[in-house]
Amino acid sequence: MDQTKRMKELVQRLNQASKAYYQEDREIMSNLEYDRLYDELLELEKQTGTVLANSPTVHVGYEAVNELPKEAHESPMLSLDKTKDVEVLREFIGTQKCLLSWKMDGLTIVLTYRNGSLEKAVTRGNGIIGEVVTNNARVFENLPLKIPFQGELVLRGEAIINYSDFEKINEEIEDVDAKYKNPRNLCSGSVRQLNNEITAKRHVRFLAFTLVRAEGENFENSVEHQMVWLKQQGFETVEYRVVTSETLDDAMEYFSTQVAENDFPSDGLVAVYDDIAYGESLGTTAKFPRNSFAFKWADEQKETTLLEIEWSPSRTGLINPVAIFEPVELEGTTVSRASVHNISIMKSLELGIGDRIEVYKANMIIPQIAENLTRSGVKDIPAECPACKGPTRIQMVNDVETLYCINPECPAKAIKTFTLFVSRDAMNIDGLSQATLEKFIGHGYLQDFGDIFELDRYREEIIQMDGFGEKSYENLWQSIQRARHTVLWRVIYGLGILNIGLANAKMICREFDYDLDRIRHATVEELTGIDGIGEVIGQSLVSYFADEKNNRKVDHLMTHLELEKPEETGGSQKLSGLTFVITGSLEHFGNRSEMKNQIEALGGKVTGSVTKKTSYLINNDAASTSSKNKKAAELGIPVISEEEFLKMIR
């Protein structure tokens, strides 16, 4: 291929990938692929002596999005030159003493303090202009808002979200397509929120890695002295080791072992000369500072054979390709599958069944395909959705080819309803997480709720699935068996009928004496006659049971259930006619849901906001200045503690 033509192609692909990564928080190629193409472009530029306009080798990042105020940095924030070769890193160190630290994988922030207070926080942006995120920085978990130093201080660091917090936040997102792919994407979105209340809930931390300026301070020409001083000011700094070319190997052994244990995301190491004057005397290139150098882990790669492409449907209709290959050991664990993300990536790799592929773990964590050695070509993109056998269509979304199921009745699109059905307040089936439900639906095992109780038909297939085995299957099946014995309000709530919450389901069942047939044939007038049931709720229930398909699904489900009628005792309705709002922390009840269940069991009602119809606001902190307490005071509604509530029901 003509060298200039190839360079143009590489510039376009790399800039497109950078824009997706930095501006849109999405990945359209792996880090390994990006580095490979970048190095190829760099080599071509050396060979030809030509650098094209907009080449990523001379441009840093992309323009910041314009939702937040922009501000120019006082000095450009350049990228770091990098290597995967320890000997190249040793050559950089030479005869100097260096600080070797983690290269954090988050969002770089520049902080300015004046008179001991945080004055400004700006993101890296394109290296020249960043976004002002001061309000968001104020709610970082570990960032000091006041420091002893009273002069002007400018420092740089990385905003990160730990893996453990990332996983917890992702678990709370019901929509699988809305889940974040990695902590960096979550951190970037969290730091750049317009409402810092959201940032505060995301557990963002800040690790300082560079002191730019501290007015009037003497650091004895040492970066290490700067880091120690920053700790004394209350900053958490990135972990580092002081190294020379002779001690580099011991430090590398420590970091390479520790990286697998870290709870925070990092994608390599950074070496910086301890001698500040020496580092500054070296100046910079057009793109890189010469006083520091990055080391990226040489990903362990293994060759294996592609066995199949599994197509995994989701609730939006998107069908994701997943590569299944002969198991290999990578970074200490066995892996046999890797997401390919979309058809465009499949085509760029020319993936075909039986191909010899090289796989690795991006940042030692996420399995990826590095290269396809035989490139037989993409074949057999499914014309049918694996979940519903409905038609599929290839669509172009953000310049990326993706596969979609176009059947509006596809059960994969109803993943939220299945997730609700098995939840604790509904059928309470342990072992059916959203991820497991997605697998079962994707394989065509679940069309409606009744199919859950017939999963034993697929016992052998399930045992062979990733993450399953004999014991996991038996535990799941026992949980399903226990769920057969239940009460009607759990079923009504679990059906996911529009506007029917747990409290409404209980009231309706109680009113109709736990008779499903009566509920099915109830009129809007009968339903709105129940205290607390309005016309919208009544119409939702009537409309649901007016649909013959829904009735068939319920009939199928009921063949597997044994309903018990709750015993009503004389004193069980002592809270009838009362409406409660619960706020603040609880001491006697495990959580609000537990307290809510107690109130509803005694005939009461629980709502989320204080209105004229509220009977009591339950809050252990009666003196709280929360909005609910203020509203209760305005309306003259009593605020009671848990102790007072318990006395009431005794």
Side-chain angles (χ1 to χ4, degrees):
M1 181 186 286
D2 175 78
Q3 286 181 312
T4 303
K5 183 178 179 182
R6 177 59 175 164
M7 287 166 66
K8 288 180 179 177
E9 179 185 306
L10 289 170
V11 167
Q12 182 182 13
R13 288 185 63 188
L14 289 166
N15 284 343
Q16 185 182 40
S18 290
K19 182 179 180 182
Y21 187 77
Y22 287 109
Q23 269 191 278
E24 300 163 4
D25 294 330
R26 62 189 182 93
E27 296 179 42
I28 61 175
M29 71 170 63
S30 69
N31 287 338
L32 198 72
E33 176 74 354
Y34 183 92
D35 290 344
R36 185 179 67 79
L37 296 180
Y38 183 93
D39 290 343
E40 182 186 348
L41 175 61
L42 202 60
E43 183 60 32
L44 284 170
E45 289 177 346
K46 288 177 184 176
Q47 291 175 13
T48 62
T50 301
V51 179
L52 299 174
N54 210 29
S55 170
T57 65
V58 292
H59 287 270
V60 183
Y62 270 82
E63 291 298 325
V65 294
N66 57 15
E67 295 166 340
L68 292 164
K70 295 179 183 178
E71 182 170 303
H73 297 297
E74 62 178 60
S75 59
M77 296 184 65
L78 302 177
S79 299
L80 297 180
D81 202 356
K82 61 183 181 292
T83 184
K84 292 186 178 182
D85 187 339
V86 175
E87 293 311 312
V88 174
L89 183 62
R90 197 190 311 274
E91 186 179 325
F92 166 80
I93 294 171
T95 60
Q96 293 293 315
K97 182 171 78 171
C98 280
L99 269 65
L100 188 64
S101 62
W102 298 110
K103 184 175 182 293
M104 310 303 294
D105 192 19
L107 193 68
T108 302
I109 306 286
V110 184
L111 300 178
T112 302
Y113 286 76
R114 288 193 179 93
N115 301 318
S117 298
L118 175 64
E119 183 176 275
K120 185 169 56 182
V122 184
T123 68
R124 179 181 184 277
N126 68 351
I128 307 296
I129 297 173
E131 297 167 304
V132 179
V133 291
T134 311
N135 285 341
N136 294 341
R138 293 184 192 282
V139 297
F140 289 175
E141 281 200 337
N142 64 336
L143 189 68
L145 299 181
K146 299 277 187 183
I147 60 174
F149 181 63
Q150 295 298 301
E152 183 180 67
L153 167 65
V154 180
L155 71 152
R156 295 172 182 169
E158 199 83 352
I160 62 166
I161 290 177
N162 286 349
Y163 285 119
S164 53
D165 289 319
F166 164 74
E167 287 163 5
K168 287 175 187 173
I169 291 166
N170 251 359
E171 282 172 7
E172 294 170 1
I173 301 173
E174 291 185 358
D175 184 350
V176 66
D177 299 310
K179 291 179 184 288
Y180 291 89
K181 287 184 170 59
N182 53 54
R184 183 203 170 274
N185 285 7
L186 174 59
C187 184
S188 178
S190 301
V191 172
R192 297 157 71 210
Q193 290 287 332
L194 297 180
N195 178 359
N196 71 353
E197 183 180 358
I198 298 172
T199 308
K201 294 176 181 176
R202 300 283 177 82
H203 305 291
V204 180
R205 294 170 58 222
F206 178 85
L207 297 180
F209 58 66
T210 298
L211 192 157
V212 178
R213 185 175 68 258
E215 192 178 67
E217 286 293 308
N218 177 19
F219 298 107
E220 301 178 27
N221 195 39
S222 168
V223 171
E224 185 179 12
H225 278 66
Q226 290 180 332
M227 299 296 278
V228 171
W229 184 83
L230 284 172
K231 284 184 180 179
Q232 292 169 349
Q233 297 301 312
F235 295 98
E236 187 176 351
T237 61
V238 64
E239 181 187 12
Y240 63 86
R241 291 285 177 96
V242 177
V243 300
T244 63
S245 57
E246 287 77 24
T247 62
L248 176 62
D249 291 332
D250 288 342
M252 293 301 294
E253 185 177 348
Y254 165 75
F255 281 113
S256 61
T257 302
Q258 185 62 32
V259 67
E261 306 297 323
N262 288 344
D263 190 31
F264 57 82
S266 64
D267 55 1
L269 303 172
V270 174
V272 59
Y273 293 128
D274 182 58
D275 187 324
I276 297 171
Y278 174 75
E280 289 178 349
S281 72
L282 299 175
T284 67
T285 68
K287 186 174 172 67
F288 307 121
R290 289 195 172 101
N291 71 334
S292 50
F293 204 82
F295 174 86
K296 295 195 75 173
W297 303 112
D299 301 292
E300 181 185 9
Q301 293 189 27
K302 290 286 180 69
E303 188 177 321
T304 184
T305 301
L306 182 65
L307 301 177
E308 66 171 303
I309 296 291
E310 180 182 284
W311 295 88
S312 176
S314 67
R315 63 171 295 276
T316 62
L318 177 66
I319 305 176
N320 295 301
V322 179
I324 311 298
F325 44 82
E326 289 181 352
V328 290
E329 287 285 323
L330 281 177
E331 314 291 354
T333 62
T334 302
V335 295
S336 60
R337 55 196 291 124
S339 175
V340 190
H341 302 298
N342 53 58
I343 294 173
S344 289
I345 292 177
M346 283 184 68
K347 287 183 175 178
S348 70
L349 290 167
E350 300 178 75
L351 280 180
I353 306 304
D355 280 346
R356 294 294 292 173
I357 59 175
E358 288 187 343
V359 294
Y360 73 107
K361 281 187 178 179
N363 295 337
M364 298 187 170
I365 296 167
I366 304 167
Q368 299 276 301
I369 296 176
E371 183 57 272
N372 183 3
L373 303 175
T374 48
R375 294 182 171 267
S376 64
V378 175
K379 306 178 189 72
D380 304 322
I381 294 173
E384 289 185 350
C385 170
C388 68
K389 309 306 177 189
T392 62
R393 179 188 299 151
I394 297 174
Q395 297 180 9
M396 188 69 75
V397 179
N398 293 326
D399 299 321
V400 172
E401 281 188 288
T402 51
L403 187 67
Y404 279 87
C405 171
I406 57 175
N407 172 20
E409 299 296 322
C410 178
K413 296 180 182 180
I415 185 66
K416 275 190 175 180
T417 62
F418 276 95
T419 304
L420 172 66
F421 182 78
V422 303
S423 67
R424 184 172 57 184
D425 287 336
M427 300 304 290
N428 194 24
I429 303 177
D430 289 330
L432 279 180
S433 66
Q434 184 167 319
T436 300
L437 285 167
E438 287 167 7
K439 286 182 184 177
F440 290 174
I441 291 170
H443 282 81
Y445 301 164
L446 301 177
Q447 299 291 325
D448 62 43
F449 299 138
D451 292 336
I452 290 173
F453 299 90
E454 299 169 7
L455 279 171
D456 55 330
R457 293 183 296 175
Y458 306 103
R459 181 182 184 278
E460 296 307 314
E461 293 92 332
I462 292 172
I463 288 172
Q464 299 303 317
M465 280 185 176
D466 240 16
F468 267 90
E470 291 270 2
K471 188 172 181 181
S472 297
Y473 171 82
E474 290 304 327
N475 288 340
L476 170 61
W477 187 243
Q478 288 305 313
S479 181
I480 291 171
Q481 295 304 99
R482 288 192 295 271
R484 292 178 188 273
H485 305 277
T486 188
V487 290
L488 184 58
W489 57 261
R490 287 184 177 273
V491 179
I492 296 297
Y493 171 63
L495 292 176
I497 303 170
L498 187 65
N499 300 311
I500 306 292
L502 190 60
N504 297 326
K506 288 179 178 179
M507 284 189 283
I508 290 167
C509 289
R510 191 182 301 127
E511 180 70 19
F512 289 94
D513 198 28
Y514 302 93
D515 186 328
L516 176 59
D517 196 54
R518 286 180 61 193
I519 292 171
R520 275 181 163 184
H521 295 95
T523 64
V524 174
E525 290 74 20
E526 288 176 306
L527 290 163
T528 53
I530 304 170
D531 184 33
I533 303 295
E535 190 164 341
V536 172
I537 295 173
Q539 189 60 59
S540 288
L541 190 77
V542 169
S543 297
Y544 182 87
F545 285 115
D547 188 323
E548 192 51 43
K549 284 185 293 185
N550 290 336
N551 280 297
R552 283 198 300 271
K553 290 177 182 177
V554 172
D555 286 339
H556 180 209
L557 171 62
M558 294 310 297
T559 63
H560 295 287
L561 301 183
E562 297 176 14
L563 297 181
E564 301 169 2
K565 184 177 178 181
E567 291 183 13
E568 301 283 0
T569 61
S572 67
Q573 300 300 294
K574 63 172 62 179
L575 299 183
S576 179
L578 299 179
T579 300
F580 296 82
V581 174
I582 308 167
T583 191
S585 58
L586 300 175
E587 297 168 4
H588 298 280
F589 290 90
N591 51 49
R592 292 184 192 178
S593 180
E594 191 179 306
M595 190 178 202
K596 180 181 177 185
N597 289 340
Q598 175 74 75
I599 291 170
E600 290 173 348
L602 297 174
K605 183 180 178 183
V606 178
T607 61
S609 56
V610 177
T611 68
K612 290 179 181 178
K613 293 183 179 180
T614 303
S615 308
Y616 295 95
L617 171 64
I618 301 174
N619 188 349
N620 284 324
D621 183 4
S624 167
T625 57
S626 71
S627 58
K628 286 179 181 175
N629 276 45
K630 287 178 181 177
K631 189 69 174 177
E634 287 174 16
L635 299 174
I637 291 163
V639 180
I640 61 173
S641 66
E642 269 181 284
E643 285 287 356
E644 291 170 305
F645 169 75
L646 290 170
K647 288 177 184 176
M648 180 188 295
I649 64 175
R650 286 178 193 133

